[in-house]
Amino acid sequence: MSLLKRYGRRLQGVLDLGSRADMLRVAEVCTQLNGGRESKTYQIDSSKRERGLPMNDNTRWLRTHCARMDHGGCALLVGVKNNKIIGIKGDPNGFLNKGYTCIKGIASPERLTHPNRLKHPLKRVGKRGEGKWERISWHEALAEIAENFIRTREKYGARGVAFGAGTPKGLEHFVLIRLANIFGSPNVVAPQDVCHAPREISGVHTCGFYPVADMHDPSKLIVLWASNITSTNEEGEICSMLLEQIRNGADLIVIDPRKIDLVKKSKTWLQLRPGTDHALALGFLHVIIEESLYDKSFVQDWTSGFDDLAQHVKTYTPERVSDITWIPSDRIRETARLYAQSKPAVIQWGNPIEHNIHAFDIARALICLMAICGNLDVPGGNVHAKDPEIMSLGRFVRADLIPKKRTEMIGSHHGVIPRLMTVPGAFFRKAVLEETPYPVKALYSMCANPLLSYADSRQTYDAFMSLDFIAVADLFMTPTAAIADIVLPVASQFEIDDIGHYGLGHGFILARPKVVDPAEECWPDMKILNELGKLISPQEYWYDDYHRFLEDVLEPAGLTYSEFVEKGHLRGPKRFRLYEKKGFRTPTGKVELRLSQAEKFNVPPLPQFQGLPEEDDPDYPLVLTGSKSQYYLHSSYRWIRRLREKRPNPKVEIHPETALQYGIKEGDEVIIETKFGSISQIAHVTDIVHKRVISASHGWWFPEAREEELFEWEKSNYNMLTSTTKLGKEFGTPNLKGLGCRIRRK
Ligand code: SF4
C-alpha cells in the first residue's frame, strides 16, 4: 500500500492505470528500475524513448515472464496500449535474467498480430494434408474431438488414445497429463527421451535427485558440457547468470564439437567427436581416480561402489579416450585435474548428451564425476533444487486415478527404465504402425510439431497418416497441423494467466500473468483441455474456469494467483547437503556409483563406453551433428519476420578444408546424405567445426511454401537424416547426432 501511495497516484495521467493492482505493479516497476530508490515517471518515459515509443500516450508497462520461445524465464516489462503490445524489455529486477532478454523474447509479440495466425477452430474437409478446411465453432470442434476419442476408447480402450506435447512451456503440459489420466490413457507422448529424462531419471536412480546446475551461488569453475547456453538457454537458467559468474572470476571449460561463442570466454575448449561424451567422462574419471584427486571423505561416507568404479575405469586411459574423442590425451588429463581441483565446480549439461542411444551411460558417468569430486548438492555445484510449498505434481495430474500406468504405458512393453512416465516418440509410432504392444488410433497434440521434431520424419508422416483421428492445437498452421482432422487456435503466453517452470525441477516457479486479451477465438490450452475434459471424462475433475488450476498449484503456499503475480516468483528453500541428515534417496542411501538395482532394471551397473552412436562407414566419411539456432525454438517461429531476417535459410556448417575438398563455396546449396535420407541446406564455410564434422540446422520447414505440400517439410528437415532403427534401451532414445554422412554441391 505504501508503494501505491508513494508512486502509484503520481503516475496517473501519464499511464492508463486501470486498477489498483495495475497501479501497484507499475509503481513497483518504477522502484525496480531505479534500483529501489524513489522513482520518477521519466524513467518509464526514458525506457519508451529507448524503444522509440511516444511519451504520455496511455501506455501501461506490465510485468510478466517470457515463455514459449524456449522454456521461458526472463522477466519482462511489456508496454501495452489499447490491448496491443507496443514495447518489450527485460525487467532489471528479474530473478533469473536481471534485465536480459534475447532477440526471440523481443520479437515474441509479433506472433500475436501475425496475419497467418490461427484464429478459429478448423475442420478438415479435403483429404489429409490437402489444405482444405472449414471454419467451425468451438462447440463443434470439441464435440468432434470428444466423439472420436470416446469411439476409440469404446473400441480399443482408453490407451488407444494418446495425448502428445512438445517442450513444456507452462501449466498446460500438466493439465494435459491430468486429462490423459482422468480419461484413462497411460500414454502421454513427449520428447523426454531426447530432452531431460536421461539426466533427470539417471539422477534419481544414481543419487535420488536431478542434479541441476546451481548458477545462483558462486562456482570456481563452470563446465559447459554440450550446452550452448547463449543460444538455447536450456534448463531455464538464463545465460546472464552464467556470464555474471564469469565476470566474478569463475573459470569456464567448454566441451562441445562446435566452437560456440562462449569459447571466447573459456579457459579450455575440448572439441570432442559428436557422440563420445561418455568416453570423455570415463577418461576424466580414470585420471581423477588414478591421481587420487577425488574427494576422499565424500567418497568414503556417501558413495557406494567406488572400488568397482575405480577398477572399471582403469581401461579408459587418456590415450584410449583420445582415439575415440579426437581430443589430445594431455588436454584430457589437464581438464580432469582442473575439474577435480576447483571447488565448487558445476557442470551445466545440455541436452545434446541425450541425443544418442548411449544417453544413460553419458548421464551416469557425469553424475559419478560430480559425486566423486564432492560437487553434489553443494552451493555452486550440481544441486537438488527444492520446490517451494506448492501442489505436488502427482496430485495436480491426478496420478492416483491411473494406478496401473507404469505397467500399461507403451514404453513399459519395451522395457524402459522405471520412472520414465512419458512415451518416447519411436515407441508411439510403433504402436500406431504395428499395433505393438497394442493399437493406438487417435491423438491430441499441442505445443508440438512432431513431423519435424521426431527422429525419422518419414516414419512420423506414415504413422500420422495411419491414425484414425488427430486433433492439433497450435498458434500457427504447421506441417503437423496440416495433416490433422481438427485444428484449434491457441492463445499465446501474453494472452494467458499462467505459471512458469512448474514441474521442471529447478526449485522455483514464475508468474506469467497475461498482458492482453486473446485474439479473436483463440483459447488458452488450459481452457481447451478443461472443456474437453468435461466432455470425455467425469465432470467433477474439471472446473468452471481454468484459473482454478493456477489457484490449486498455489494453495499450499497460502497465496492466491494475484498475490503470486505481485511477488513475481516463488523459490524453494535454499538448503544444501540434505543427505547429511537423511542420506541420499537411493536404495543404499548413498550415491550409487554402481547401481544396486541394475540387475532388476536390466541396465549396466557401471557407466561404460559401448561404442560410437554409429560405427564408421567409408561410404559416409563425415560425421553429422546438428545445432539449434538462437533465433528459433526447434521448428517454431520461421514466420516471425524479425527472426527470419536474422536467419533466412537453414545453414550447414562445413570446415574450409572440407568445403575445398568437395568443391563447395559459402552460400552453395548442399545435399546432405545419410543412410536414412537426404536433404539440402545452404553452406556456411567456417572453422567452428572439425574437418570431419558437419553441423546441420534443426527444425526447418518453410511457412511461405504451399500448405498442400506441407510447407516443404522434407526439403531441409534434419530429421529426414535420422532413424529409429537403433534405440537406447533405457529411454528409447534414437541417434540424432554422430551419424555417418556425406555431402555434395547441388
Ligand atoms: S532467453 Fe528465453 S526466456 Fe529469455 S527472452 Fe529469450 S526466449 Fe524469452
Side-chain angles (χ1 to χ4, degrees):
M1 188 61 196
S2 59
L3 271 175
L4 181 67
K5 275 189 186 154
R6 286 170 63 200
Y7 303 117
R9 299 204 186 284
R10 290 173 53 187
L11 299 173
Q12 268 180 322
V14 179
L15 307 167
D16 170 22
L17 299 174
S19 68
R20 182 181 171 281
D22 285 338
M23 290 170 73
L24 188 56
R25 206 177 295 162
V26 175
E28 278 183 353
V29 167
C30 290
T31 311
Q32 289 155 9
L33 285 171
N34 203 23
R37 297 183 300 278
E38 184 177 53
S39 174
K40 294 193 173 69
T41 53
Y42 69 76
Q43 285 177 313
I44 282 193
D45 290 337
S46 70
S47 70
K48 288 181 198 171
R49 267 203 302 275
E50 275 169 26
R51 303 265 161 233
L53 298 172
M55 294 166 70
N56 300 328
D57 64 350
N58 297 330
T59 301
R60 297 188 302 151
W61 285 87
L62 304 175
R63 287 168 67 203
T64 191
H65 282 91
C66 183
R68 291 200 179 217
M69 306 303 285
D70 56 25
H71 273 307
C74 290
L76 302 177
L77 297 174
V78 184
V80 176
K81 184 180 172 187
N82 299 332
N83 200 39
K84 287 207 167 42
I85 296 175
I86 58 166
I88 207 157
K89 62 185 283 182
D91 181 347
N93 227 34
F95 163 58
L96 293 167
N97 60 317
K98 314 257 187 298
Y100 169 87
T101 47
C102 75
I103 185 169
K104 283 187 289 192
I106 298 290
S108 58
E110 218 183 283
R111 294 168 302 165
L112 277 64
T113 50
H114 195 285
N116 293 359
R117 183 172 176 190
L118 292 166
K119 297 191 192 80
H120 311 283
L122 299 173
K123 179 179 177 177
R124 175 171 66 83
V125 289
K127 289 191 197 138
R128 271 215 175 127
E130 212 177 25
K132 293 190 179 149
W133 303 97
E134 167 189 32
R135 179 175 164 181
I136 57 173
S137 68
W138 271 104
H139 176 77
E140 290 167 314
L142 292 175
E144 180 91 13
I145 298 169
E147 191 187 318
N148 277 282
F149 283 7
I150 289 168
R151 190 186 313 127
T152 305
R153 182 168 60 188
E154 280 166 6
K155 195 159 174 202
Y156 300 98
R159 64 191 189 177
V161 179
F163 294 82
T167 309
K169 278 97 177 173
L171 212 53
E172 80 290 325
H173 190 84
F174 304 98
V175 179
L176 183 84
I177 299 174
R178 179 185 172 101
L179 176 61
N181 288 346
I182 296 173
F183 179 74
S185 173
N187 295 318
V188 174
V189 186
Q192 274 199 296
D193 55 313
V194 292
C195 184
H196 266 256
R199 276 171 289 172
E200 286 177 20
I201 297 169
S202 304
V204 167
H205 290 302
T206 307
C207 60
F209 61 88
Y210 166 38
V212 176
D214 177 16
M215 292 283 166
H216 298 272
D217 293 284
S219 307
K220 188 133 190 284
L221 174 75
I222 299 169
V223 182
L224 268 188
W225 196 305
S227 179
N228 187 7
I229 202 162
T230 50
S231 264
T232 59
N233 278 300
E234 58 208 322
E235 303 258 344
E237 300 293 348
I238 306 302
C239 64
S240 53
M241 295 168 73
L242 180 136
L243 294 173
E244 194 177 323
Q245 294 240 14
I246 296 170
R247 273 195 300 275
N248 291 339
D251 285 330
L252 180 69
I253 294 173
V254 173
I255 298 175
D256 201 299
R258 296 170 69 243
K259 190 176 187 179
I260 60 173
D261 283 349
L262 279 168
V263 167
K264 287 189 212 111
K265 295 186 183 292
S266 71
K267 195 171 177 121
T268 305
W269 167 45
L270 300 186
Q271 187 177 29
L272 87 169
R273 177 182 174 141
T276 60
D277 307 70
H278 44 342
L280 183 61
L282 288 159
F284 285 172
L285 286 165
H286 170 100
V287 174
I288 291 166
I289 294 174
E290 188 189 62
E291 298 187 10
S292 203
L293 300 175
Y294 55 92
D295 183 328
K296 312 224 172 29
S297 71
F298 183 87
V299 165
Q300 165 81 31
D301 297 341
W302 294 111
T303 66
S304 67
F306 179 75
D307 291 343
D308 291 334
L309 179 72
Q311 186 61 31
H312 173 71
V313 298
K314 275 195 172 150
T315 58
Y316 293 96
T317 61
E319 289 67 31
R320 179 183 167 210
V321 169
S322 175
D323 287 344
I324 299 166
T325 60
W326 303 342
I327 299 169
S329 55
D330 55 338
R331 304 281 309 285
I332 295 170
R333 279 202 176 83
E334 282 161 20
T335 312
R337 289 174 192 144
L338 188 58
Y339 176 73
Q341 292 171 335
S342 309
K343 285 214 174 183
V346 62
I347 299 179
Q348 165 62 38
W349 40 352
N351 77 343
I353 66 162
E354 299 161 331
H355 288 176
N356 71 58
I357 58 174
H358 304 303
F360 181 63
D361 284 311
I362 300 171
R364 285 259 303 132
L366 288 173
I367 300 166
C368 289
L369 256 185
M370 297 167 194
I372 70 161
C373 293
N375 285 319
L376 265 188
D377 214 19
V378 296
N382 286 82
V383 300
H384 182 188
K386 284 101 192 156
D387 274 332
E389 281 292 309
I390 50 175
M391 184 177 271
S392 71
L393 264 188
R395 233 179 108 202
F396 184 84
V397 303
R398 296 306 309 254
D400 56 310
L401 297 175
I402 188 155
K404 290 193 182 154
K405 180 166 179 165
R406 276 171 201 268
T407 51
E408 290 241 324
M409 300 168 62
I410 294 167
S412 309
H413 171 84
H414 296 277
V416 296
I417 196 163
R419 302 287 192 119
L420 181 62
M421 297 306 285
T422 54
V423 177
F427 295 151
F428 163 66
R429 282 169 289 167
K430 235 176 162 22
V432 174
L433 290 168
E434 299 169 20
E435 305 199 344
T436 307
Y438 46 74
V440 172
K441 297 290 180 184
L443 173 72
Y444 184 92
S445 174
M446 64 174 206
C447 300
N449 188 6
L451 210 50
L452 273 291
S453 57
Y454 288 180
D456 193 347
S457 293
R458 174 62 58 190
Q459 187 191 50
T460 311
Y461 177 84
D462 292 342
F464 275 54
M465 293 303 274
S466 307
L467 282 162
D468 288 347
F469 180 78
I470 309 169
V472 169
D474 214 321
L475 282 165
F476 288 82
M477 188 64 79
T478 64
T480 304
I483 53 173
D485 300 290
I486 296 285
V487 176
L488 305 174
V490 304
S492 89
Q493 96 274 2
F494 290 121
E495 302 162 326
I496 308 168
D497 285 324
D498 198 1
I499 294 175
H501 280 241
Y502 181 63
L504 295 190
H506 295 288
F508 54 83
I509 55 170
L510 304 172
R512 285 197 199 133
K514 74 174 197 176
V515 296
V516 292
D517 293 325
E520 305 209 18
E521 290 190 70
C522 299
W523 279 17
D525 284 292
M526 276 187 272
K527 176 175 172 178
I528 302 171
L529 299 167
N530 186 52
E531 297 308 312
L532 181 60
K534 291 176 194 166
L535 298 178
I536 63 174
S537 62
Q539 297 257 347
E540 70 254 34
Y541 298 113
W542 303 102
Y543 296 134
D544 290 341
D545 177 349
Y546 83 90
H547 283 86
R548 272 286 302 278
F549 294 125
L550 309 171
E551 306 292 350
D552 281 353
V553 168
L554 295 162
E555 198 188 352
L559 290 174
T560 63
Y561 185 68
S562 41
E563 288 165 343
F564 173 53
V565 167
E566 294 300 335
K567 280 180 174 290
H569 73 274
L570 269 191
R571 191 175 178 190
K574 258 179 107 170
R575 283 191 312 235
F576 301 101
R577 298 188 179 90
L578 210 56
Y579 57 83
E580 287 178 348
K581 285 195 186 123
K582 301 184 173 177
F584 286 93
R585 285 193 298 182
T586 60
T588 55
K590 299 196 170 179
V591 179
E592 299 199 345
L593 304 174
R594 182 190 172 89
L595 274 189
S596 64
Q597 302 201 83
E599 210 170 302
K600 185 168 152 199
F601 298 161
N602 190 22
V603 295
L606 293 159
Q608 53 189 327
F609 176 74
Q610 301 183 64
L612 298 167
E614 221 181 42
E615 290 313 310
D616 286 335
D617 178 340
D619 288 338
Y620 298 90
L622 300 172
V623 180
L624 175 70
T625 190
S627 66
K628 291 173 196 148
S629 161
Q630 72 202 85
Y631 303 113
Y632 305 115
L633 169 66
H634 297 290
S635 67
S636 300
Y637 309 134
R638 268 72 180 173
W639 53 86
I640 296 183
R641 183 189 45 83
R642 194 196 288 234
L643 300 177
R644 191 67 183 275
E645 280 170 3
K646 292 277 181 195
R647 181 60 51 82
N649 296 306
K651 63 178 189 181
V652 52
E653 293 162 344
I654 306 170
H655 191 275
E657 287 181 33
T658 316
L660 193 65
Q661 183 189 345
Y662 288 89
I664 291 169
K665 294 193 294 303
E666 178 76 19
D668 281 349
E669 193 170 354
V670 174
I671 302 290
I672 309 165
E673 287 177 287
T674 66
K675 278 182 222 162
F676 313 109
S678 74
I679 60 171
S680 69
Q681 296 200 349
I682 305 300
H684 176 45
V685 179
T686 168
D687 65 0
I688 75 166
V689 287
H690 190 280
K691 279 183 262 183
R692 274 196 62 194
V693 173
I694 63 158
S695 177
S697 300
H698 162 71
W700 270 89
W701 57 286
F702 300 88
E704 64 276 21
R706 285 156 52 89
E707 186 184 331
E708 308 86 278
E709 291 167 8
L710 302 185
F711 307 105
E712 297 183 358
W713 65 285
E714 296 161 293
K715 182 177 164 191
S716 299
N717 168 6
Y718 186 95
N719 276 318
M720 296 299 291
L721 303 173
T722 58
S723 150
T724 59
T725 47
K726 277 187 183 177
L727 298 171
K729 183 212 162 296
E730 297 82 7
F731 305 103
T733 308
N735 284 324
L736 299 182
K737 292 174 178 159
L739 300 165
C741 74
R742 60 191 177 205
I743 52 174
R744 64 187 154 84
R745 190 151 62 92
K746 190 169 176 185

